[in-house]
Amino acid sequence: MGFAHNNVLHKNHFRKDWQRRVRTWFDQPGRKQRRRTARRSKASLLGARPLKHLRPAVRGQTIRYSSKIREGRGFTLTELKAAGVGRKKALGLGIVVDHRRRNLSEEGRDLNVARLKEYVERLLVFPRKASKPKKGDCTGDDLKAETTRTQLVLPDPYVHEKPRKITDEERNFKAYRALRDVGISPQDIKKLQEAGLHTVEAVAYTPKKTLCAIKGISEAKADKIISEAQKIVPLGFQSATEIHMRRSELVCITTGSKQLDTLLGGGIETGSITELFGEFRTGKSQICHTLAVTCQLPTSMGGGEGKCLYIDTEGTFRPVRLLAVAERYGLNGEEVLDNVAYARAYNADHQQQLLLTASALMAESRFALLIVDSCTALYRTDFNGRGELSARQGHLGKFLRTLLRLADEYGIAVVVTNQVMSSPDAAGAMFAGNDKKPIGGNIMAHASTTRLQLRKGRGNTRICKIYDSPCLPESEAQFAILASGIGDPEEEE
């Protein structure tokens, strides 16, 4: 009698020998391990067979991993056809085939075709019967040749250029000649240089109203200058891959402390603004003095191979500290001092004017670092009260925008120090953790790429915290102020 519908099964008498009719698989992990061991032992007995199958070289699909090359699932039919390898033949030679994959670029296809050809040229196929070799099998001395079981390595994704000397054409190249060749008169070019625009990039980045404010530059002439400058400097969209490749070539300047460099991902990043803020005696000026020397080191030692511009607003610059740091790295003290261009700023307008002079110096020589110590000290004295708050923030925003433009044009690292103020709201709280805030407001916060908070530790030890960064996690590191500059706390002991 059969069973219908969802009724209760009657007379369901289960016996103790139910294991004979039910198959279990409780030893599945053990079976998997035994199969893997059996495959390895079988591969070792087969002699010269490669340990791994040949797979194509592909790039990751995401922006983060698109610059790296990894092994793909299998070669496409187009790649096999271009290499002269049949599909069935490839399966017998240890070449993995993926009929679903498609080639989206000629570079990737050519790379895998060359990989297949190199594999086939180096491949030795032993006959199953030495007395009856088939077509394509090795015979004679090839059977006694030395073999290896290692697989082909993946190609290097980066094209490395050998160091070369700068040609006379590159040394004598003047970007303003490009503007002169398209019809911009030398008089107009001189006016642009007097206004602080020493490169074509500076002209392309400058708004139209700023050019019209220059005496002798009309609106029609400003349109022509901007149009010709933007033809030389690309200002359109670029792929994220190009931006990633360009950022991978950025140089980081060491701070002298390994722990601090690890916190910053290698050191002070070029092409951006790094802000140091904290109370007095937290090591802001000491870090600036150390960076003024380390930026002159070669890139292999964590330097930038360039000079340093130092704008001092508080009168804390001491050349003796530079000599001590130079002695630590084995540099000539006189040459180190000659490579540091120092200027003292006495008011906010003078501080802004010094950036125009700095732009002219950068156009003539190689600079790697620009230091402003301190960036906001003069603004606290030149602008008083809430009535001048709007004017102060506008002037500060213009100064920071000029710093960012210099970092973009010349690829230098910009380091600014900032003062702090007490927060009245946090001071009244019982469990207030940190009642000190950097001054400058949102203008300063948005202009700085990386913000580092410094505070005091025990003895000569100081603590640096990532306060804000687009790519670095919030973390802390300790460093020490030594007689030879900034270093790790262990060096002091």
Side-chain angles (χ1 to χ4, degrees), residues 347-407:
N347 53 66
D349 295 332
H350 185 210
Q351 183 175 327
Q352 176 69 30
Q353 186 66 26
L354 287 176
L355 295 185
L356 302 180
T357 308
S359 179
L361 293 175
M362 294 178 188
E364 297 176 357
S365 181
R366 161 66 181 162
F367 282 84
L369 178 65
L370 172 59
I371 298 175
V372 183
D373 185 23
S374 153
C375 180
T376 55
L378 298 176
Y379 288 94
R380 304 186 78 173
T381 56
D382 293 354
F383 299 90
N384 299 319
R386 294 183 176 269
E388 297 182 352
L389 179 61
S390 177
R392 186 190 76 172
Q393 294 299 93
H395 199 288
L396 179 61
K398 183 179 180 181
F399 176 77
L400 295 173
R401 180 65 187 89
T402 307
L403 286 178
L404 187 59
R405 181 173 61 84
L406 292 177

Side-chain angles (χ1 to χ4, degrees), residues 301-325:
M301 298 178 60
E305 297 184 1
K307 301 180 181 179
C308 173
L309 280 165
Y310 202 111
I311 299 178
D312 185 14
T313 63
E314 299 178 346
T316 56
F317 179 74
R318 296 295 182 269
V320 180
R321 296 294 296 161
L322 302 184
L323 296 176
V325 179

Side-chain angles (χ1 to χ4, degrees), residues 271-347:
S272 61
I273 299 178
T274 303
E275 176 191 356
L276 309 174
F277 70 90
E279 298 181 82
F280 67 96
R281 208 169 62 84
T282 55
K284 301 187 296 295
S285 298
Q286 298 297 327
I287 294 178
C288 293
H289 283 76
T290 305
L291 290 173
V293 179
T294 57
C295 71
Q296 305 178 30
L297 295 173
T299 54
S300 59
M301 298 178 60
E305 297 184 1
K307 301 180 181 179
C308 173
L309 280 165
Y310 202 111
I311 299 178
D312 185 14
T313 63
E314 299 178 346
T316 56
F317 179 74
R318 296 295 182 269
V320 180
R321 296 294 296 161
L322 302 184
L323 296 176
V325 179
E327 184 180 358
R328 168 187 174 184
Y329 288 98
L331 301 177
N332 189 353
E334 296 182 359
E335 295 180 356
V336 168
L337 295 181
D338 292 338
N339 292 331
V340 177
Y342 170 80
R344 175 70 186 275
Y346 295 97
N347 53 66

Side-chain angles (χ1 to χ4, degrees), residues 73-95:
R73 177 169 294 184
F75 290 92
T76 63
L77 301 180
T78 305
E79 294 169 349
L80 294 174
K81 184 178 180 180
V85 181
R87 179 180 179 181
K88 293 184 178 180
K89 182 181 178 181
L91 296 176
L93 298 180
I95 301 175

Side-chain angles (χ1 to χ4, degrees), residues 221-243:
K221 191 177 295 185
D223 291 334
K224 182 179 180 180
I225 293 174
I226 294 176
S227 176
E228 297 299 336
Q230 291 181 354
K231 292 179 181 178
I232 302 173
V233 181
L235 298 179
F237 287 96
Q238 297 178 352
S239 65
T241 303
E242 297 176 359
I243 302 298

Side-chain angles (χ1 to χ4, degrees), residues 63-285:
I63 298 176
R64 182 175 183 180
Y65 298 105
S66 60
S67 62
K68 299 182 179 180
I69 288 183
R70 61 175 178 85
E71 288 186 344
R73 177 169 294 184
F75 290 92
T76 63
L77 301 180
T78 305
E79 294 169 349
L80 294 174
K81 184 178 180 180
V85 181
R87 179 180 179 181
K88 293 184 178 180
K89 182 181 178 181
L91 296 176
L93 298 180
I95 301 175
V96 185
V97 182
D98 186 8
H99 65 279
R100 297 165 296 182
R101 182 169 157 262
R102 297 291 183 268
N103 293 109
L104 301 180
S105 64
E106 296 181 359
E107 292 81 1
R109 182 197 61 190
D110 297 341
L111 179 65
N112 289 322
V113 169
R115 184 174 172 83
L116 282 171
K117 290 182 178 179
E118 183 183 0
Y119 179 78
V120 173
E121 289 178 0
R122 297 175 55 183
L123 186 65
L124 297 177
V125 180
F126 291 88
R128 291 187 176 182
K129 293 184 178 180
S131 59
K132 295 181 180 180
K134 296 182 179 181
K135 184 180 178 180
D137 294 346
C138 298
T139 57
D141 297 337
D142 293 339
L143 297 175
K144 302 178 181 179
E146 295 183 0
T147 59
T148 178
R149 304 183 66 183
T150 59
Q151 191 56 271
L152 295 179
V153 296
L154 292 174
D156 193 351
Y158 300 105
V159 180
H160 301 277
E161 284 190 32
K162 294 183 179 180
R164 60 178 179 84
K165 293 183 178 180
I166 300 177
T167 60
D168 295 337
E169 182 180 358
E170 294 175 344
R171 184 180 292 105
N172 298 328
F173 174 76
K174 300 295 182 182
Y176 271 97
R177 291 182 182 177
L179 295 178
R180 190 182 304 175
D181 295 340
V182 296
I184 308 300
S185 63
Q187 292 78 12
D188 295 336
I189 294 178
K190 185 177 180 180
K191 294 176 183 177
L192 295 175
Q193 291 177 342
E194 293 176 353
L197 306 177
H198 297 273
T199 60
V200 181
E201 288 82 359
V203 177
Y205 300 156
T206 304
K208 178 182 176 181
K209 63 178 183 179
T210 305
L211 294 179
C212 295
I214 301 174
K215 186 177 181 180
I217 303 295
S218 61
E219 185 175 354
K221 191 177 295 185
D223 291 334
K224 182 179 180 180
I225 293 174
I226 294 176
S227 176
E228 297 299 336
Q230 291 181 354
K231 292 179 181 178
I232 302 173
V233 181
L235 298 179
F237 287 96
Q238 297 178 352
S239 65
T241 303
E242 297 176 359
I243 302 298
H244 179 70
M245 294 292 292
R246 192 180 307 136
R247 286 194 56 83
S248 63
E249 299 175 356
L250 289 178
V251 177
C252 293
I253 302 175
T254 178
T255 59
S257 171
K258 295 181 180 179
Q259 296 185 16
L260 192 55
D261 290 344
T262 304
L263 177 69
L264 300 177
I268 302 297
E269 185 182 83
T270 57
S272 61
I273 299 178
T274 303
E275 176 191 356
L276 309 174
F277 70 90
E279 298 181 82
F280 67 96
R281 208 169 62 84
T282 55
K284 301 187 296 295
S285 298

